């Protein structure tokens, strides 16, 4: 199956042997009856497995060209499960520019359990190698990064992780498998905040992991079941529904974002626009090679880097909603320094470019003329 067919049918063959329903039923149940201890039809207790969740997990695996999918109660719960593969004393090299909540999980929870993190700018992948030693167990990559839209060369990083026999995990939330499939490029684990583009309608919080090897799948499944951060059947159903339009939504997100990026770049009050589709984006060539298009996310700063002015712009927006999150059909605007990335200390934040006037847009799939008009009136 090609990608667009997979979004609709991937992993969904014969999901309802009872009545042949086209969508997997929502198995809203805690437990499953057994004829004798262990005598069941594949499901015992709904933390360990639920048929609706299992259908979604197969769909996740199929879309990322992986073998095993696991669905969690949030993106952070999925990352938490990956980190539990590690032991005290282990080291992780992570992109320095990443979602604030991921940074908080790493530094405020897992650092306290004795795991050491190196936050490294990976725009030049060669920079990673000097942080790798015999304690290094995992490289954590976000690409495009949140919110600076840096692009990391997944194949190049994978060649380094293979050489040193460490795991490579890629947070594919911004790109989605429509734009890039990290397992195909050598990653060991793909992670998603399915809350975003995979769900696509801003109505579910969910996380996903996809892997190829049975050993890794077994270890992650053990953690998923033992720690218990699963998602419910109703949410699984909603994301299964969302996935079916991923390809057409992403196509429109990308088309609209291109127009918005070009509009902002030509605006006299805008200093800089961060979007990997620009020829002068530092890793434009890598984005072009590893992504099918450039995605729906854009960040920008106003001239003079004025905090109050940036706040005024996000307050003025009418069609773009000022809100955390991204990836839904509706356009959202955020102020990372005070919202999504507030948990990163100011000095560290500014070092990676998250200055006070930075505004992040999740460009939705409304009519582009309305989005441009809205930005025009808000920026003034
Ligand atoms: O919110 P949750 O589903 O737990 O996912 C966390 C997460 C992980 N990775 C990336 C790249 C993310 O963007 C997120 C969540 N991000 C936002 C809520 C945001 O507005 O950036």
């Amino acid at each position: 199956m090609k990608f667009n067919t997979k979004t609709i049918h991937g992993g969904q063959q014969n999901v309802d042997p009872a009545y042949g329903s086209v969508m997997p039923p929502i198995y809203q149940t805690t437990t499953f009856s057994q004829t004798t201890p262990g005598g069941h039809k594949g499901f015992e207790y709904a933390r360990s497995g639920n048929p609706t969740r299992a259908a979604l997990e197969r769909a996740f695996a199929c879309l990322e060209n992986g073998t095993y999918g696991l669905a969690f109660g949030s993106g952070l719960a999925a990352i938490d499960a990956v980190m539990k593969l590690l032991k005290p004393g282990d080291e992780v090299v992570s992109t320095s520019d990443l979602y604030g909540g991921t940074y908080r999980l790493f530094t405020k929870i897992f650092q306290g359990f004795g795991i050491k993190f190196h936050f490294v700018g990976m725009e030049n992948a060669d920079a990673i190698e000097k942080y790798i030693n015999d304690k290094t167990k995992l490289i954590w990559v976000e690409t495009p990064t949140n919110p600076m839209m840096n692009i990391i060369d997944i194949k190049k990083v994978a060649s380094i992780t293979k050489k040193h026999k460490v795991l490579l995990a890629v947070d594919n939330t911004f790109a989605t498998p429509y734009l890039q499939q990290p397992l195909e490029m050598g990653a060991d684990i793909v992670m998603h905040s399915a809350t975003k583009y995979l769900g696509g309608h801003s109505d579910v919080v969910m996380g996903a992991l996809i892997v190829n090897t049975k050993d890794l799948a077994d270890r992650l499944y053990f953690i998923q079941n033992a720690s218990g951060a699963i998602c419910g059947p109703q949410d699984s159903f909603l994301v299964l529904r969302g996935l079916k339009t991923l390809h057409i939504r992403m196509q429109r997100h990308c088309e609209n974002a291109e127009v918005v990026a070009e509009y902002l770049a030509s605006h006299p009050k805008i200093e800089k626009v961060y979007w990997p589709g620009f020829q002068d984006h530092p890793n434009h060539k890598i984005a072009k090679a590893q992504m099918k298009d450039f995605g729906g996310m854009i960040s920008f700063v106003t001239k003079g880097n004025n905090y109050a002015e940036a706040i005024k712009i996000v307050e003025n927006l009418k069609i773009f909603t000022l809100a955390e999150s991204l990836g839904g059909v509706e356009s959202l605007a955020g102020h990372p320094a005070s919202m999504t990335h507030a948990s990163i200390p100011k000095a560290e934040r500014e070092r990676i470019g998250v200055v006070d006037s930075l505004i992040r847009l999740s460009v939705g799939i409304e009519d582009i003329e309305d989005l441009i008009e809205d930005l025009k009136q808000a920026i003034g």
Side-chain angles (χ1 to χ4, degrees), residues 168-181:
L168 171 59
V170 176
D171 182 336
N172 205 25
T173 299
F174 270 33
T176 82
Y178 172 81
L179 295 178
Q180 72 188 12
Q181 294 165 348

Side-chain angles (χ1 to χ4, degrees), residues 82-379:
V82 174
M83 291 301 138
K84 285 175 178 161
L85 293 168
L86 308 179
K87 300 269 178 303
D90 288 350
E91 296 191 11
V92 177
V93 184
S94 164
T95 35
S96 53
D97 168 29
L98 79 171
Y99 172 56
T102 309
Y103 179 87
R104 183 177 55 195
L105 178 67
F106 289 175
T107 56
K108 295 281 165 44
I109 306 274
F110 284 99
Q111 208 160 274
F113 293 161
I115 292 164
K116 186 169 176 186
F117 292 87
H118 303 271
F119 294 98
V120 177
M122 297 187 186
E123 298 84 89
N124 175 2
D126 294 330
I128 303 170
E129 216 154 1
K130 65 171 178 285
Y131 294 93
I132 297 180
N133 59 49
D134 56 6
K135 294 184 182 139
T136 312
K137 294 287 159 15
L138 175 72
I139 309 290
W140 185 268
V141 167
E142 239 183 63
T143 182
T145 59
N146 180 0
M148 298 311 298
M149 308 301 297
N150 287 313
I151 299 293
I152 317 301
D153 187 338
I154 300 173
K155 272 191 190 154
K156 186 99 180 270
V157 177
S159 72
I160 296 168
T161 56
K162 293 231 175 337
K163 180 170 142 199
H164 293 277
K165 297 193 168 53
V166 300
L167 290 174
L168 171 59
V170 176
D171 182 336
N172 205 25
T173 299
F174 270 33
T176 82
Y178 172 81
L179 295 178
Q180 72 188 12
Q181 294 165 348
L183 295 177
E184 295 283 298
M185 293 184 252
D188 301 290
I189 302 172
V190 170
M191 176 264 153
H192 280 277
S193 169
T195 315
K196 312 300 186 305
Y197 291 106
L198 299 188
H201 296 75
S202 305
D203 50 10
V204 180
V205 174
M206 189 186 284
L209 297 177
I210 302 101
V211 299
N212 264 332
T213 66
K214 182 162 187 327
D215 170 59
L216 207 42
D218 286 347
R219 286 161 68 202
L220 289 167
Y221 172 71
F222 180 84
I223 294 165
Q224 183 194 40
N225 186 42
S227 290
I230 50 133
C231 56
Q234 181 87 35
D235 284 354
S236 300
F237 177 86
L238 285 172
V239 174
L240 271 165
R241 180 163 75 164
L243 282 181
K244 289 181 188 285
T245 54
L246 177 68
H247 52 311
I248 48 173
R249 285 187 285 107
M250 285 309 293
Q251 188 181 348
R252 183 64 65 84
H253 282 297
C254 293
E255 287 166 11
N256 280 357
E258 179 170 358
V259 180
V260 168
E262 272 156 16
Y263 170 75
L264 291 171
S266 68
H267 197 291
K269 288 192 180 166
I270 305 300
E271 175 74 37
K272 182 149 180 62
V273 182
Y274 299 92
W275 178 66
F278 288 132
Q279 300 241 338
D280 65 353
H281 181 286
N283 274 349
H284 174 69
K285 285 210 180 92
I286 295 165
K288 226 172 151 179
Q290 77 184 12
M291 297 167 76
K292 184 174 170 175
D293 206 331
F294 303 110
M297 298 299 297
I298 298 171
S299 294
F300 65 98
V301 287
T302 52
K303 282 198 174 131
N305 185 27
N306 187 306
Y307 176 85
E309 198 180 352
I311 299 296
K312 198 94 219 129
I313 292 172
V314 293
E315 284 175 354
N316 283 346
L317 287 164
K318 292 189 169 68
I319 292 179
F320 281 85
T321 303
L322 174 60
E324 306 221 4
S325 204
L326 59 112
V329 289
E330 60 287 285
S331 291
L332 300 182
H335 182 250
S338 63
M339 296 167 74
T340 46
H341 293 71
S343 54
I344 303 177
K346 188 172 164 72
E348 174 68 11
R349 214 164 57 212
E350 299 209 329
R351 192 174 67 79
I352 59 173
V354 185
V355 294
D356 280 352
S357 75
L358 188 82
I359 293 172
R360 192 191 72 183
L361 300 179
S362 170
V363 180
I365 62 171
E366 300 93 337
D367 280 310
I368 187 62
E369 295 81 3
D370 292 329
L371 298 182
I372 298 294
E373 267 316 301
D374 194 28
L375 289 165
K376 199 180 271 179
Q377 65 79 25
I379 298 168

Side-chain angles (χ1 to χ4, degrees), residues 1-10 63 247:
M1 274 191 261
K2 290 185 160 174
F3 188 80
N4 297 347
T5 311
K6 279 187 186 177
T7 65
I8 295 162
H9 300 286
L63 283 179
H247 52 311

